[in-house]
Structure formats: C-alpha cells, structure tokens
Amino acid sequence: MIRHDRPFWATGGSETSMRDDYYTAANDAYADYDQSEPSQEGGGSPAVLRLLRGRWHWAILLGVILASGGVYLGYNFERPEYTAWSTIKIKTNYGIAVDVTDLSQEQPYTLLVQAEMDRLYALDTAELAMQQPEWQEAARGAGLDFASMTPQDFSDSIDMDTKFGGDQTIQVQYDSEDPAIAQAGINALMEAYGSIRKQGQKDAIDENLQLLQDRKSDLELRQKQIRDQMRLIIPDSEYLTIKTRLTAKLGELANMEFKLGELELIIGDFLNPNAKRSEVTIKEMMAQDPDMIALLEQKKQLEDEYIYQTEILKRGETMASVVQVKRMIARVDRQILDLEASWLSRQNEGGGTAPVPQQVAEMMATYNALVEKVKELKAETNDLATRIAAVQEDEFELQQVIESIRDVDEEIFDYEKTEDLFAGNEQITLVEIGDKAPMPGKPSNATTRIQHAAFGGIGGMGAGFGLVMLIGLMDRRMRHVADTAADLPDTNVLGLLPTLPADMKDPEQADAAAHCVHHIRTLLQIGGSNRVFSITSPAAGSGKSSLATALGMSFAATGSRTLVIDADLVGAGISRRMGSVVHESLDTVIRQKGLINEADLSRLLTLSASRGETIEQLLIEEQLMSQEELETAKRLQLDTSLGLLDACAPGRLRSCVAATGIDQLFVLPVGRARPADASRLSPAAMRELVKQAREAFDIVLIDTGPVLGSLEASIAAAESDATVLIVSRGDHRSVAARSLEQLRSVRANVAGLVFNHALESDLAHTSYASLISQERRPDISARKRKLDKTRSARLGPLGTAVASSAEETSDDQSLMVHTNGSSNGHE
C-alpha cells in the first residue's frame, strides 16, 4: 500500500506541495517494490534479483540441466581407479647400510630407504614384474595388450609413501582401472623386487666391501707418504733434541731481550752520540748521581709518611705531625732543585754537551754485545721453529688418516660379519616384504569422483543462473515496474496497468484494471491545480491511447467535464476507438458550396433561431432547395470532418468537439489532419487550443504520438500543465530514457510514469495487492456479470474495464437509494 507519513491535508502547505507529497509517497511505494522483493525471493543483491526477475523458472530449469551435466562430467572426469597395496619394512636393528655407496653420509639408514624405493621404481624391476605369470594371466583376462606395454608404463602405475616408526615402512601401491590388474600388478612387483634384491644383496655387500678395502689402501698409502715427508724435514732421532734446543734458545732469547730493555731505560739517551742533551737527559743523568739518588729516596720515604699520617691515621692537615712532614718534603724538594741547577750550570760551561760517565760507557758496550747475541739467537730459533711447525702439520694430517683407517676397519668388520651371516643363512635380510595384496573391492578415487561431481553440479547450476543473468544483462527492455526506478531515476511512478486480454470476460480482472486507472487519476487530481495533461509514450503501441480513454472516463465519472483531444496525427487511436466524427454544419456546407445566396441563407438562419425549426425544414418550406438538392447537400456535409487543426482556430473548439455517449466525457477527434500536417501544428496554435479547452472543460487530456517519433508530442507537453509518460513492458530502456530527456529538454512538467502490461508479480508488490488477493464483496454471485463485447471492441480492454466499473458503481448507488427509499416508506 502507499505509505503516508501524515495525511496530505495535514501538511499545512499549498495545494502544489500536497500534490508533490502525494507523488513522493506514491513513488516510494513503487520504489519499495525493488527493495521488498529480495525478502520474497530469499534475499540477495537487488541487481542480481533484477536480472533474474521473471526468469527464475528458466534459470532453475537451465541450472538443473547444466548441473546434471556437470555432475555427470565431474563424476566421469576421472575413471574409476582401483588400488592394491603392499608394504616393505626396513629393519633398524642391524644398523648397516647395505646399499650405501657414499660412506661420508651421516644418515646411511635414510639413504638405504631411498635406495630401496629407487629399486622399486627401476625399469628392470618393472620388466621382471611383467614377466610374472600372475601378471600376464590377469592382463589376458582383462584384454590388456601387455605385449605393447613398456616397463615405463608399468612403473608409471606405481606409487609409494613412507611411514616412520621403530622400523620404517614403505607403502607400495599399484593403480589400475581393473581391480584384477591392480592386484596382479602389486603382487608381481613385490615378487620381482624380492628376486632382484635377493640376487643383488651379496653382490652389493661384496661391492661395498671392495670399495672399503680400496679406500683403506688409499689411506695407508697416504699415511706412508706423510711419514716419509716428516723424516725428510726432521729425522726421527733428532725431533726431540731439536724441540729441546728450541725451548732452551727461546728462554735464552727472552732473557737477553729483557736485559736489553733494562739497559735502554738507563742509557737510552747515550745510545745516539750526536743527540743533544736536553733537560730531561740531565734529570736522567742526575738519577745516576749518588746525592740525587739519596735525595729522591728521602723524598719517597717522606711522601709515604705523609700518606700514612693522613690516610691510615686519619690525621688532618693542621696536625703538628702532618705539618712537620710537609715541611720536610718541601726542604728535600728545594735540595733537589739546587742539585739540578748545578748540573745545568756544568752543562752550559762545557759547551752544551755533558761528558759520558764511565759507568754509562760500560753499559753501552754491554748493550751492543747483547744486540749481536740476540740477532744470532733469533736466526737460530726461527729455523728450528719452521722445521718443527712443518712436522706438526704433517702430524695432524697423519692423525686424521689413522682415524679414517680405524673407521674403515670397523666398517669392513661389519661387512665381513654380514657376509658371513648371509652365507650361513639366506633368510637373514634387512628388508621384510609384506603379504600378497587382496583384490580391491571399491575404487580408491570414489570420494574424489563424488567431489568432482559436486563441484560440477555447483558449477553447472551457477553457469545456468549466470547464463540467464547474462541474457538479462543483454536484454535492454523494461520487463517489470522496478526497472523504471532503476532505468529512469528521479521520476515518479504514478501507477501501473495490468496485462489485459483483447476479449476480456472476467469482471474481477476488469475491476482490478479500473482500480489501477482510478489510482492514477487520483494522483493526478490531488492538489487540483493541474487540469491539462498530455499523455505520450516512448514508442508506438505502449497503450497511451487506451490510457487516455480510460483516464477520460475515470475523470468523467467524478463529475468533471472532461475533454480527450486526439493529437496523434499518425495513429489517431482516440478517433478510431471512439468512432467520433464531427461534420461541418449544413449551413456552412451550403455557404461554402454556394448552393443558395447569402441573403436567403441568413434569413433562413434567423427563422430557424426564432421558430425553433431546423435549417433542412426551412429549405424545403421556402422552396429554396428541392429534396434531391438537400440530400446532395447532406452528402457533402458527410464528406466533411472537423478536428484538431480546425479547433486550433480561435472560437472553433466547441464546433469540433463530439460527445462520446458517456456522461461528462467529450472527444476532439483528429479530423482531416494527416501526419504531413504536423508542420501546421505550431506552439501558438496548440496554446490557443489549450486556452479554449480550459475555458470549456474541467479536465483536458491530450493524446499525442510517441515522444521521439512525433512533433506534436513535444508541443503538447510544453503547453500542458503536466505530462504522463506511459512505458510498456518490452519497451527499450534507452528509448524510454531518451524520451524522458526529450520531455525535460522542452521544459515539460513530467507528472510521472505509468507502467503498462504489468504482470501479477508486479501488482502483488504494490498497493493493488489487496484488490487482487481477496474479493471485495461477500455477495460474489451478485457481482457476476457479463462485459459488453461491443463496447470492448470500441473502447478497448482498459476502457471497457473502467466503463464496467463505473456502471457497477452506478448500480450500487441506485440500489442503495432504492433500499433507503423503501425503508423510509415502510417506516
């Protein structure tokens, strides 16, 4: 139903605002159609639902068909595959890597497992398996051409997986479309693998043992080479002696270098005879003077005493003992300065160079001798250290070689023990082959095939819906009333008209159609300011003439004096439907044809007005025309036709309007106007016509041609108070949009849209739903009536529905009056 936030009469605004509010409420009601429908259809995107609207049955049907095909194709995407299983267990209790050739690997057991898997995949194993009787018998039974089958083909059917535990297990499987082939294939593979492995175990052990022995020989040869090289550097008998000598020489060298360091501290300044004695050098010389040495020793003792007094005994600076020590230190410092001054004085008197003391000269001789001795010791120790370092490097490599020989000996021992075990008991093995595989009962890929079938079904269903949505996306026609809101935005929807059969017989259907027309008329009436409406459409056949006729009867039913103007110069639908023809008056025909003179004609017109007699009677009475001449004049009158173009002249409208037989409804036919006469229909002429119509009628409806295909549509829309654009289900969206744009370009006031040929699904989501879903009266039998076929042929289905509804309303009112009158009389 149409929603109102408040009654239109309570808005407190003008009539125009009342009308606009009602239009807005009506448009919201139709806009809700698109928003409410997802809840009716399970939710979803409005755009998607719009594409599927009206196509659900096709989408579901096509989706089911494609889903069935998808299920079939998905299920048969993989052929049924049977898998037979067997196992190989690698024991860990031996700890011997029989098939390991790379002895440097830290995990020989893992390499052993990989070696066994490689042996299972090997082409020689597959070739031997194909020679097994069980395999060949199963291949013949399945009709398999195993003669043309290659070992690679057999190997491609093998797959493996590993499981870790105390012992490692290799799961081996053979896949085939035939369960018997799968069983025979895995059993033949295990048989061939066991034979090949049993035959090759001893050879592998012997081969690896030989490799170990060769490696041991290489290591022993390297050991001998290293020993010979060590003997060339230092003979075995001299190695310890040389190490002892090197140790002694290094100790002697360290002692001499220490002594050199001491001498350098004492006589460092005298080692260079050309160096100038500085003040620092004088102080160093003074350090050798007994008096200076004594003073310095005395100063040190006093400083120690000062530290003892202040830090150990914690005596202050003002204590007598502390003050005395400080004075004694100052006195010694003064003596040291005086002694330094005397040394400086002696240096200046001697020409700037002090003589070298005898003691210093002796130290310098000792220093030079030590330098030469150190050079000899360094040369000797360097030679000994180089020889010993080379021997130590060879010793390190020799130790590694000896450890490698020990490891190889352990491995050779293990292999020899294993070889003895195999020689004594052929059943001892590192590999344990599982039991023979049974025949598989069901395909191993059954779950996968079901999944593929499910995906195929989902994809097929989606493809079906997607294809229908693609068709909907490509279909540019408007199919539902909701399409108008999406394709023609910012435009009110006044109402919709149901699809009616040409031969309408159902009164209920007629009532529903009449209700739709009355609803549109009510929206146009609200406010009361608009009186002239033009009705147009994007294309021919949209039902504008039917709507104009029905609206005219609806307006007339309200007591409004209504004029329907047929301005469609091409279709002339109103004129043809109403059968309305307006002829020129007989006196005009006589005047135009000159059948009698003007004076006699004027006199007859005056007499006709005064006597109340017709002009035909007076012509016979006055003997101005014979009966035959009068008949000729009447035939000429029938050849005339007044209409649209004639009514555009000032004061001519009333003479061009015809009655329709319906109370308060009149029609202005197209008359003699033809499509080529559109050029004569100017805006000024249309303005004059509208002006006359306003003066004579309450409501004026102008039926025009399509907006994009006629000139009169734009002219009428520009001169009207409001324009109604009727679009029909099946009209192209782009054409409707261009039509609306054209109307707005001429500044027409578009009152709104009317959607024609609506389906029941459209009506079910609008304010007409209650009318469709339930009966309006309890006395249904009294409402069963037959519709007038003659009227239906003349007015069309929609006009017939409105006329039938008006008659029923009139009958109900008469019955009510009759009933009320009877009651009053009885009282």
Side-chain angles (χ1 to χ4, degrees), residues 409-420:
D409 284 338
E410 292 178 358
E411 294 182 18
I412 290 174
F413 175 77
D414 291 336
Y415 272 101
E416 288 175 346
K417 183 176 68 174
T418 303
E419 189 175 27
D420 293 340

PDB file of all heavy atoms in Angstrom, residues 409-420:
ATOM      1  N   ASP A 409      88.253 -49.811   8.998  1.00  0.00           N
ATOM      2  CA  ASP A 409      88.436 -51.170   9.524  1.00  0.00           C
ATOM      3  C   ASP A 409      87.180 -51.650  10.237  1.00  0.00           C
ATOM      4  O   ASP A 409      86.785 -52.816  10.100  1.00  0.00           O
ATOM      5  CB  ASP A 409      89.628 -51.187  10.494  1.00  0.00           C
ATOM      6  CG  ASP A 409      90.972 -51.137   9.759  1.00  0.00           C
ATOM      7  OD1 ASP A 409      90.988 -51.502   8.559  1.00  0.00           O
ATOM      8  OD2 ASP A 409      91.972 -50.727  10.360  1.00  0.00           O
ATOM      9  N   GLU A 410      86.528 -50.735  10.986  1.00  0.00           N
ATOM     10  CA  GLU A 410      85.279 -51.117  11.666  1.00  0.00           C
ATOM     11  C   GLU A 410      84.188 -51.450  10.661  1.00  0.00           C
ATOM     12  O   GLU A 410      83.460 -52.435  10.832  1.00  0.00           O
ATOM     13  CB  GLU A 410      84.840 -49.980  12.589  1.00  0.00           C
ATOM     14  CG  GLU A 410      85.761 -49.752  13.773  1.00  0.00           C
ATOM     15  CD  GLU A 410      85.296 -48.589  14.626  1.00  0.00           C
ATOM     16  OE1 GLU A 410      84.273 -47.953  14.251  1.00  0.00           O
ATOM     17  OE2 GLU A 410      85.930 -48.299  15.668  1.00  0.00           O
ATOM     18  N   GLU A 411      84.083 -50.658   9.617  1.00  0.00           N
ATOM     19  CA  GLU A 411      83.066 -50.937   8.598  1.00  0.00           C
ATOM     20  C   GLU A 411      83.372 -52.227   7.867  1.00  0.00           C
ATOM     21  O   GLU A 411      82.450 -53.009   7.568  1.00  0.00           O
ATOM     22  CB  GLU A 411      82.990 -49.764   7.627  1.00  0.00           C
ATOM     23  CG  GLU A 411      82.492 -48.493   8.265  1.00  0.00           C
ATOM     24  CD  GLU A 411      82.383 -47.358   7.269  1.00  0.00           C
ATOM     25  OE1 GLU A 411      82.356 -47.646   6.055  1.00  0.00           O
ATOM     26  OE2 GLU A 411      82.326 -46.186   7.696  1.00  0.00           O
ATOM     27  N   ILE A 412      84.639 -52.469   7.574  1.00  0.00           N
ATOM     28  CA  ILE A 412      84.997 -53.733   6.904  1.00  0.00           C
ATOM     29  C   ILE A 412      84.646 -54.913   7.793  1.00  0.00           C
ATOM     30  O   ILE A 412      84.124 -55.937   7.309  1.00  0.00           O
ATOM     31  CB  ILE A 412      86.500 -53.729   6.566  1.00  0.00           C
ATOM     32  CG1 ILE A 412      86.773 -52.721   5.436  1.00  0.00           C
ATOM     33  CG2 ILE A 412      86.976 -55.120   6.152  1.00  0.00           C
ATOM     34  CD1 ILE A 412      88.237 -52.542   5.123  1.00  0.00           C
ATOM     35  N   PHE A 413      84.849 -54.751   9.087  1.00  0.00           N
ATOM     36  CA  PHE A 413      84.498 -55.825  10.022  1.00  0.00           C
ATOM     37  C   PHE A 413      82.991 -56.092   9.998  1.00  0.00           C
ATOM     38  O   PHE A 413      82.564 -57.254   9.973  1.00  0.00           O
ATOM     39  CB  PHE A 413      84.971 -55.445  11.432  1.00  0.00           C
ATOM     40  CG  PHE A 413      84.556 -56.438  12.475  1.00  0.00           C
ATOM     41  CD1 PHE A 413      85.218 -57.662  12.629  1.00  0.00           C
ATOM     42  CD2 PHE A 413      83.473 -56.165  13.309  1.00  0.00           C
ATOM     43  CE1 PHE A 413      84.805 -58.567  13.592  1.00  0.00           C
ATOM     44  CE2 PHE A 413      83.060 -57.071  14.270  1.00  0.00           C
ATOM     45  CZ  PHE A 413      83.733 -58.287  14.417  1.00  0.00           C
ATOM     46  N   ASP A 414      82.201 -55.023   9.993  1.00  0.00           N
ATOM     47  CA  ASP A 414      80.749 -55.196   9.954  1.00  0.00           C
ATOM     48  C   ASP A 414      80.305 -55.876   8.669  1.00  0.00           C
ATOM     49  O   ASP A 414      79.443 -56.766   8.680  1.00  0.00           O
ATOM     50  CB  ASP A 414      80.057 -53.841  10.095  1.00  0.00           C
ATOM     51  CG  ASP A 414      80.230 -53.261  11.486  1.00  0.00           C
ATOM     52  OD1 ASP A 414      80.455 -54.042  12.424  1.00  0.00           O
ATOM     53  OD2 ASP A 414      80.120 -52.013  11.621  1.00  0.00           O
ATOM     54  N   TYR A 415      80.880 -55.457   7.525  1.00  0.00           N
ATOM     55  CA  TYR A 415      80.502 -56.076   6.249  1.00  0.00           C
ATOM     56  C   TYR A 415      80.908 -57.549   6.203  1.00  0.00           C
ATOM     57  O   TYR A 415      80.168 -58.387   5.685  1.00  0.00           O
ATOM     58  CB  TYR A 415      81.127 -55.311   5.093  1.00  0.00           C
ATOM     59  CG  TYR A 415      80.273 -54.161   4.608  1.00  0.00           C
ATOM     60  CD1 TYR A 415      80.562 -52.859   4.973  1.00  0.00           C
ATOM     61  CD2 TYR A 415      79.182 -54.404   3.793  1.00  0.00           C
ATOM     62  CE1 TYR A 415      79.779 -51.807   4.545  1.00  0.00           C
ATOM     63  CE2 TYR A 415      78.391 -53.356   3.351  1.00  0.00           C
ATOM     64  CZ  TYR A 415      78.692 -52.062   3.730  1.00  0.00           C
ATOM     65  OH  TYR A 415      77.905 -51.014   3.308  1.00  0.00           O
ATOM     66  N   GLU A 416      82.097 -57.838   6.712  1.00  0.00           N
ATOM     67  CA  GLU A 416      82.547 -59.254   6.714  1.00  0.00           C
ATOM     68  C   GLU A 416      81.636 -60.095   7.585  1.00  0.00           C
ATOM     69  O   GLU A 416      81.293 -61.224   7.232  1.00  0.00           O
ATOM     70  CB  GLU A 416      83.994 -59.324   7.202  1.00  0.00           C
ATOM     71  CG  GLU A 416      84.995 -58.775   6.177  1.00  0.00           C
ATOM     72  CD  GLU A 416      86.411 -58.743   6.722  1.00  0.00           C
ATOM     73  OE1 GLU A 416      86.556 -58.900   7.958  1.00  0.00           O
ATOM     74  OE2 GLU A 416      87.354 -58.543   5.936  1.00  0.00           O
ATOM     75  N   LYS A 417      81.171 -59.501   8.731  1.00  0.00           N
ATOM     76  CA  LYS A 417      80.243 -60.244   9.593  1.00  0.00           C
ATOM     77  C   LYS A 417      78.909 -60.457   8.884  1.00  0.00           C
ATOM     78  O   LYS A 417      78.326 -61.547   8.949  1.00  0.00           O
ATOM     79  CB  LYS A 417      80.047 -59.469  10.894  1.00  0.00           C
ATOM     80  CG  LYS A 417      79.151 -60.194  11.885  1.00  0.00           C
ATOM     81  CD  LYS A 417      79.047 -59.444  13.196  1.00  0.00           C
ATOM     82  CE  LYS A 417      78.304 -58.144  13.000  1.00  0.00           C
ATOM     83  NZ  LYS A 417      78.063 -57.442  14.299  1.00  0.00           N
ATOM     84  N   THR A 418      78.420 -59.411   8.190  1.00  0.00           N
ATOM     85  CA  THR A 418      77.154 -59.543   7.459  1.00  0.00           C
ATOM     86  C   THR A 418      77.271 -60.564   6.341  1.00  0.00           C
ATOM     87  O   THR A 418      76.362 -61.365   6.101  1.00  0.00           O
ATOM     88  CB  THR A 418      76.752 -58.187   6.885  1.00  0.00           C
ATOM     89  OG1 THR A 418      76.663 -57.246   7.951  1.00  0.00           O
ATOM     90  CG2 THR A 418      75.409 -58.266   6.181  1.00  0.00           C
ATOM     91  N   GLU A 419      78.412 -60.566   5.662  1.00  0.00           N
ATOM     92  CA  GLU A 419      78.622 -61.537   4.578  1.00  0.00           C
ATOM     93  C   GLU A 419      78.618 -62.947   5.114  1.00  0.00           C
ATOM     94  O   GLU A 419      78.053 -63.868   4.508  1.00  0.00           O
ATOM     95  CB  GLU A 419      79.939 -61.223   3.882  1.00  0.00           C
ATOM     96  CG  GLU A 419      80.158 -62.013   2.605  1.00  0.00           C
ATOM     97  CD  GLU A 419      81.415 -61.569   1.885  1.00  0.00           C
ATOM     98  OE1 GLU A 419      82.344 -61.069   2.545  1.00  0.00           O
ATOM     99  OE2 GLU A 419      81.467 -61.718   0.653  1.00  0.00           O
ATOM    100  N   ASP A 420      79.204 -63.131   6.295  1.00  0.00           N
ATOM    101  CA  ASP A 420      79.196 -64.462   6.917  1.00  0.00           C
ATOM    102  C   ASP A 420      77.778 -64.873   7.296  1.00  0.00           C
ATOM    103  O   ASP A 420      77.392 -66.040   7.137  1.00  0.00           O
ATOM    104  CB  ASP A 420      80.088 -64.454   8.155  1.00  0.00           C
ATOM    105  CG  ASP A 420      81.559 -64.257   7.798  1.00  0.00           C
ATOM    106  OD1 ASP A 420      81.909 -64.510   6.611  1.00  0.00           O
ATOM    107  OD2 ASP A 420      82.336 -63.826   8.668  1.00  0.00           O
TER     108      ASP A 420
END
